[in-house]
């Protein structure tokens, strides 16, 4: 049996259209895009083309608003540190949420050491940030708000557009981590009302190790790395032509297909969830029932640890993710589920299943059959 990959929230395969456009830039077109000769200029032109593709995918006004980085993580670091440090004379307060990806949370924690004050907003039991909480957290010292568009663990989608509307009336910069969101839900940067937005390649069938930061015209940040003058001096280092060229195509296709793919995945996901309730039962859905990524299910099966189910499914070559990692016999519960007010038990039981392009109805059927067996076996071990 072919392995069944249900972990698209962790990463996705490079699609053939992306691989194809990258190959020439690994093989023949290796010029440095900063070089003046033709080999360099061909690489430069390819990068500029990708920049336009990314700008169009985001509905940005100009390709100049797109900065290429090495990852979603780097885009988040650069947006938050770069914006905070440059705005330091105007204030020292940053607002984020308790359920952000570590690349945002740990960056904010780091900035606390530099003297910034950070408010970590609570979420409700669905993982939603309430706009009133955001409103109440704003002070005359607030310079930056960073809230993720969609959560990678539980899939909850935030009302970024509503927050953007609120923040538009203020000089406060607004950043969102849209790394899980892009390609799943159609949007433009103007609809969201953001000044800064992070995306990455490998969650949208692009290569790993490449990302972009959208910086709205007029928004000022400072670099966090120093070197050559690339990317308007904001992100030095020789640009990775093949990955950027592939990323451009991945963004373009992800956004073109967002609507139809999201409809297909929502229907697959809803059928899967219905069958799990009907045929397995004793299960809780984590995250928002409706405002969630179309490809995400985060489940807690009563009395059984997520990691135990993961390992059982792995024996049948079905790949999923669990909410807590067990290292050296110690469990660390997900900070997201804890922030949602879930018990330690529910947090440790959490199992994340994320669907993608290659997922078929038959995969879901096999996943459910294997899960039934796994749960039956694991529960039989208990007294
Ligand atoms: C994957 C992910 C990241 C990190 O992106 P990398 O490109 O792997 O560095 C950040 N935020 C969210 C929400 C993610 O899902």
């Amino acid at each position: 049996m072919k392995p069944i990959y249900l972990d698209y929230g962790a990463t996705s395969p490079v699609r053939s259209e992306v691989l194809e456009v990258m190959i020439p830039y690994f093989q023949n077109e290796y010029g440095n895009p900063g070089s003046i000769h033709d080999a360099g200029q061909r690489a430069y032109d390819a990068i500029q083309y990708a920049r336009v593709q990314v700008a169009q995918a985001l509905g940005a006004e100009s390709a100049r608003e797109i900065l290429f980085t090495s990852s979603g993580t780097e885009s988040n670091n650069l947006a938050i540190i770069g914006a905070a440090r440059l705005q330091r004379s105007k204030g020292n307060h940053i607002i984020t949420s308790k359920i952000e990806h570590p690349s945002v949370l740990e960056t904010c924690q780091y900035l606390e050491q530099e003297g910034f004050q950070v408010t970590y907003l609570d979420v409700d039991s669905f993982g939603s940030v309430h706009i009133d909480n955001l409103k109440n957290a704003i002070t005359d010292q607030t310079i930056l708000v960073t809230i993720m568009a969609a959560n990678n663990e539980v899939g909850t989608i935030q009302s970024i557009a509503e927050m953007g509307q609120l923040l538009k009336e203020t000089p406060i910069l607004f950043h969102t981590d849209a790394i899980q969101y892009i390609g799943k839900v159609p949007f433009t940067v103007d609809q969201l009302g953001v000044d800064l937005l992070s995306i990455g390649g490998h969650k949208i069938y692009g290569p790993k190790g490449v990302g972009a930061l959208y910086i709205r015209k007029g928004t000022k940040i400072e670099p966090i790395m120093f070197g050559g003058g690339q990317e308007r001096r904001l992100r030095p280092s020789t640009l990775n032509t093949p990955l950027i060229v592939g990323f451009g195509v991945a963004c373009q296709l992800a956004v073109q297909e967002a609507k139809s793919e999201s409809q297909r995945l929502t229907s697959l996901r809803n059928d899967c969830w219905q069958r799990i309730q009907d045929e397995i039962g004793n299960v809780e859905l984590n995250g928002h029932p409706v405002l969630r990524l179309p490809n995400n299910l985060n489940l807690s099966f009563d009395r059984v640890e997520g990691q135990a189910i993961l390992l059982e499914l792995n024996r049948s070559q079905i790949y999923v993710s669990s909410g807590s990692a067990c290292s050296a016999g110690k469990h660390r519960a997900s900070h997201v589920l804890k922030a949602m007010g879930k018990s330690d038990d529910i947090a440790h039981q959490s199992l994340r299943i994320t669907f993608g392009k290659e997922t078929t109805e038959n995969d879901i059927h096999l996943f459910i059959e294997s899960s039934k067996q796994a749960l039956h076996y694991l529960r039989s071990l208990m007294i």
Side-chain angles (χ1 to χ4, degrees), residues 126 151-156 286-288 292 296 298 336-337 340:
F126 295 140
N151 183 269
N152 45 302
E153 293 184 29
V154 297
T156 301
N286 299 311
H288 199 285
R292 73 186 297 132
N296 173 294
N298 188 309
V336 177
L337 292 165
M340 287 159 61

Side-chain angles (χ1 to χ4, degrees), residues 125 153-154 273 276-277 280-288 292 296-310 313 320-324 333-334 336-338 340-353 367 371 375 378-379 382:
S125 61
E153 293 184 29
V154 297
W273 172 224
I276 289 171
Q277 292 173 93
I280 304 178
N282 288 322
V283 57
E284 194 172 301
L285 178 71
N286 299 311
H288 199 285
R292 73 186 297 132
N296 173 294
L297 272 183
N298 188 309
L299 307 173
S300 290
F301 287 96
D302 188 33
R303 296 190 300 135
V304 185
E305 300 223 330
Q307 192 164 258
I309 307 174
L310 180 155
L313 290 173
V320 300
S321 187
S322 74
S324 70
S334 144
V336 177
L337 292 165
K338 295 297 282 175
M340 287 159 61
K342 303 288 176 183
S343 66
D344 277 347
D345 279 350
I346 290 284
H348 287 135
Q349 287 158 5
S350 149
L351 189 74
R352 183 187 72 176
I353 305 117
F367 161 72
S371 298
L375 282 157
L378 291 166
R379 284 182 173 145
M382 298 173 181

Side-chain angles (χ1 to χ4, degrees), residues 82-135:
R85 284 188 186 152
L86 197 82
Q87 311 292 317
R88 186 69 184 82
S89 61
K90 298 185 192 142
N92 73 340
H93 182 230
I94 299 166
I95 301 173
T96 187
S97 83
K98 288 187 176 163
I99 62 159
E100 300 296 311
H101 186 269
S103 58
V104 167
L105 272 185
E106 295 202 10
T107 301
C108 288
Q109 284 158 9
Y110 167 77
L111 284 173
E112 287 186 83
Q113 292 173 29
E114 278 191 10
F116 288 92
Q117 302 279 328
V118 182
T119 300
Y120 300 90
L121 294 176
D122 288 326
V123 294
D124 65 16
S125 61
F126 295 140
S128 305
V129 173
H130 285 229
I131 188 112
D132 287 339
N133 287 352
L134 171 60
K135 214 180 281 181

Side-chain angles (χ1 to χ4, degrees), residues 254-274:
V255 167
Q256 265 172 25
E257 296 170 3
K259 195 163 168 235
S260 60
E261 190 60 4
S262 127
Q263 282 167 357
R264 189 185 78 88
L265 290 168
T266 301
S267 141
L268 270 183
R269 194 266 319 273
N270 291 351
D271 289 350
C272 181
W273 172 224
Q274 192 57 52

Side-chain angles (χ1 to χ4, degrees), residues 311-325:
L311 294 173
E312 277 306 305
L313 290 173
N314 183 53
R315 278 150 47 100
S316 318
Q317 291 197 289
I318 298 177
Y319 306 140
V320 300
S321 187
S322 74
S324 70

